[in-house]
Amino acid sequence: MCGIHAAISADAGYHKLSAGLERRLRNRGPDHLGVVEAQLRQDDESKSALYLTLTSTVLSLRGDHLGKQPLTDEESGSVLCWNGEAWKLGGKPVEGNDGEAVLSLLTAASSKQGNEDSVLDALRSIDGPFAFIFLDKRAKRLYYGRDRLGRRSLLLKRGDEFLLSSIAEAPAEGWTEVEADGCYTIQLSEASSPREITPIRHDWDQNTALISSIGTFNAALPTATTAPLTSQSPSVEQLQGHLMESLQLRVLNVPIPPKAETSDARVANDGEKVICRAVGGLSRQAMEIRHGQGMGQLSSGLQAEPYSTTARVLLSGLGADELFGGYVRHATAFTRSGYPGLIDELKLDVGRLGKRNLGRDDRVMAHWSREVRFPYLDESLVKWAIELPAWEKCDFDNQGTGCDFEPEKRVLRLLANKLGMRSVATEKKRAIQFGARTAKMESGKVKGTTLILA
């Protein structure tokens, strides 16, 4: 997790962060703060030069050393501000510091003929959550954007300066969230002032039939011979394989947090029990922790003691309900319109993942120098789930007498039972935001889904 910021200025010269915004960026990345300044003279000498100020703060979680940002390529002068985790590049796992690997990928692409398309293709090859700002200095072109599921925050503000930032200053007027619908480019040589800047959007994938630019939704309907979803169904074993692969990327090789002992937790879990059990089979570095500090028990029967977690990584189960039909509205859609209605609702939910609250969640978690990771939102797992028929995810056709598990997210319930967690498999879904009253805050008419920029 990092904080990134870019400012394009004209006559005012290089941008100076306010004390408040610098503090917020440092909260996101307490290990390092760096600034790179670049002056871009226009091809047309009658136009004013543009001044770019690129700022990054770093929360170091990858590789065996601190990758100081902004990352700069000495030969080309290109600069990368990177907030994310590149788990794979071109389908191959990334070893070491991912930000440095992404910079190498982008600078190599920018050196090719027709470099804009090459850079865009390089960006499309990245698997993982990210927001980025990349200056191709030779081409005088700026790239920026969020990954196709919108798992990292990036905000935009336009005016006398063109501003991009992981987090807004206070007050947050004028800031909007960058859409996760593609990558954006700015040809800096064509603008003489920030107000003339016109970003161009490029789709993450040219196949518009893909859901979230990842996969083609399976809208098939069951037939009279379709078998019920059981522990022997192939989707249960397939889900376990995809989930374990996703967790391996997100749990293993997490460095020891500062001021922590080797036995201290490096990864925390938000209470999603299937993830917790699966992680237990991968690494002893993980503990199930719901809060950063409070009273906790290492095992049942022991007296609760005060704790404050050292973990910098939090695993979240977000995405499971959207992928596997876990919301009440999925059951309602099936009751009203059968599988056609359920399929429409599932497709709608998955298609708008990038427009949900992931950017907000990133801003909230990163403020406490923590990175949230979403095992269910791994691109490979999402693609598999999108292309899986609905009755292999949730089985509303077979419920009640003779069936031990609720139809919502049944494939996940069956996996929980297979992992020895029968009480979890039979537990009814409870929405934490309503029990905790965060769905509607008492301080006013602010809903839990309201966009929070600051």
Side-chain angles (χ1 to χ4, degrees):
M1 184 68 66
C2 301
I4 61 176
H5 185 280
I8 304 176
S9 313
D11 298 335
Y14 296 116
H15 180 84
K16 176 66 176 176
L17 289 175
S18 67
L21 185 53
E22 179 178 328
R23 182 175 63 254
R24 294 181 179 199
L25 289 169
R26 285 185 182 274
N27 286 342
R28 296 179 61 91
D31 298 334
H32 173 75
L33 181 146
V35 179
V36 171
E37 297 174 337
Q39 182 180 5
L40 295 181
R41 298 194 178 278
Q42 308 295 10
D43 298 333
D44 184 348
E45 295 183 357
S46 65
K47 294 183 178 181
S48 302
L50 292 178
Y51 297 85
L52 270 70
T53 309
L54 302 170
T55 305
S56 291
T57 61
V58 178
L59 177 70
S60 183
L61 292 171
R62 298 288 295 277
D64 58 1
H65 64 281
L66 173 63
K68 295 182 178 180
Q69 291 199 45
L71 295 157
T72 303
D73 179 68
E74 293 184 2
E75 181 180 350
S76 65
S78 294
V79 184
L80 174 66
C81 295
W82 176 253
N83 170 32
E85 301 290 353
W87 302 120
K88 296 179 182 178
L89 297 179
K92 298 180 180 179
V94 176
E95 301 290 341
N97 186 281
D98 61 317
E100 294 170 352
V102 171
L103 177 64
S104 296
L105 177 74
L106 297 180
T107 52
S110 68
S111 66
K112 297 178 181 178
Q113 188 174 6
N115 63 353
E116 182 178 31
D117 289 338
S118 297
V119 172
L120 291 171
D121 287 341
L123 289 166
R124 291 173 180 133
S125 74
I126 301 173
D127 281 358
F130 62 88
F132 76 98
I133 303 164
F134 174 62
L135 170 64
D136 183 348
K137 193 170 184 180
R138 287 173 175 169
K140 297 182 180 179
R141 186 178 297 120
L142 191 75
Y143 299 77
Y144 68 91
R146 302 164 66 205
D147 71 83
R148 60 200 73 199
L149 291 175
R151 290 163 288 184
R152 291 291 179 263
S153 169
L154 190 62
L155 306 174
L156 167 68
K157 184 177 182 180
R158 304 200 59 168
D160 292 335
E161 295 179 298
F162 186 97
L163 303 175
L164 294 163
S165 183
S166 298
I167 191 77
E169 56 197 345
E173 286 86 355
W175 289 93
T176 59
E177 196 151 38
V178 174
E179 294 288 346
D181 57 356
C183 173
Y184 292 80
T185 60
I186 299 171
Q187 189 57 52
L188 298 169
S189 59
E190 296 177 357
S192 59
S193 76
R195 292 188 179 275
E196 294 181 6
I197 288 174
T198 304
I200 299 174
R201 186 182 68 84
H202 307 268
D203 290 327
W204 282 121
D205 197 291
Q206 295 180 351
N207 183 355
T208 56
L210 297 181
I211 299 297
S212 296
S213 299
I214 290 179
T216 303
F217 196 90
N218 190 330
L221 298 174
T223 66
T225 60
T226 298
L229 181 57
T230 70
S231 59
Q232 303 304 313
S233 299
S235 59
V236 178
E237 184 176 353
Q238 291 167 5
L239 173 58
Q240 183 176 6
H242 281 287
L243 187 56
M244 293 299 287
E245 181 182 356
S246 174
L247 284 167
Q248 285 176 348
L249 295 171
R250 289 159 175 81
V251 169
L252 299 183
N253 301 317
V254 175
I256 300 173
K259 301 180 181 179
E261 303 294 334
T262 55
S263 59
D264 287 337
R266 305 183 194 183
V267 181
N269 181 32
D270 70 353
E272 213 289 350
K273 298 180 179 64
V274 175
I275 288 178
C276 189
R277 176 60 63 89
V279 168
L282 286 173
S283 171
R284 296 185 180 274
Q285 299 170 359
M287 294 175 61
E288 182 178 358
I289 300 173
R290 290 177 180 265
H291 308 287
Q293 58 185 15
M295 301 294 290
Q297 294 171 281
L298 291 177
S299 62
S300 60
L302 295 180
Q303 185 176 356
E305 298 178 354
Y307 74 83
S308 178
T309 180
T310 57
R312 285 179 149 192
V313 173
L314 173 70
L315 297 180
S316 169
L318 194 148
D321 288 305
E322 288 83 356
L323 292 173
F324 304 119
Y327 290 121
V328 172
R329 60 176 175 269
H330 296 132
T332 302
F334 181 83
T335 300
R336 290 175 176 173
S337 307
Y339 268 103
L342 171 63
I343 288 169
D344 287 343
E345 195 68 33
L346 286 169
K347 187 176 181 180
L348 178 64
D349 268 340
V350 177
R352 63 187 179 189
L353 272 171
K355 296 182 179 294
R356 296 293 295 274
N357 298 324
L358 293 170
R360 179 200 65 183
D361 295 347
D362 172 85
R363 291 187 288 277
V364 172
M365 288 300 304
H367 179 77
W368 305 103
S369 303
R370 301 290 191 270
E371 176 174 283
V372 61
R373 296 179 179 178
F374 306 101
Y376 290 113
L377 295 183
D378 177 83
E379 283 88 345
S380 296
L381 195 156
V382 171
K383 184 177 188 298
W384 167 79
I386 288 175
E387 296 176 351
L388 193 69
W391 63 87
E392 286 283 346
K393 297 181 271 195
C394 47
D395 193 3
F396 291 98
D397 247 351
N398 298 282
Q399 53 184 308
T401 304
C403 186
D404 294 335
F405 308 115
E406 297 288 327
E408 298 91 344
K409 294 191 294 188
R410 183 169 290 172
V411 65
L412 192 56
R413 294 177 181 277
L414 290 167
L415 176 56
N417 189 58
K418 179 182 177 181
L419 294 174
M421 297 183 290
R422 183 169 180 80
S423 62
V424 174
T426 56
E427 187 177 12
K428 289 185 177 293
K429 175 179 172 59
R430 290 174 294 177
I432 190 172
Q433 68 267 31
F434 297 111
R437 303 191 71 181
T438 56
K440 189 170 184 179
M441 301 176 188
E442 292 188 39
S443 59
K445 296 181 179 180
V446 180
K447 294 184 177 180
T449 54
T450 299
L451 183 64
I452 299 174
L453 300 175

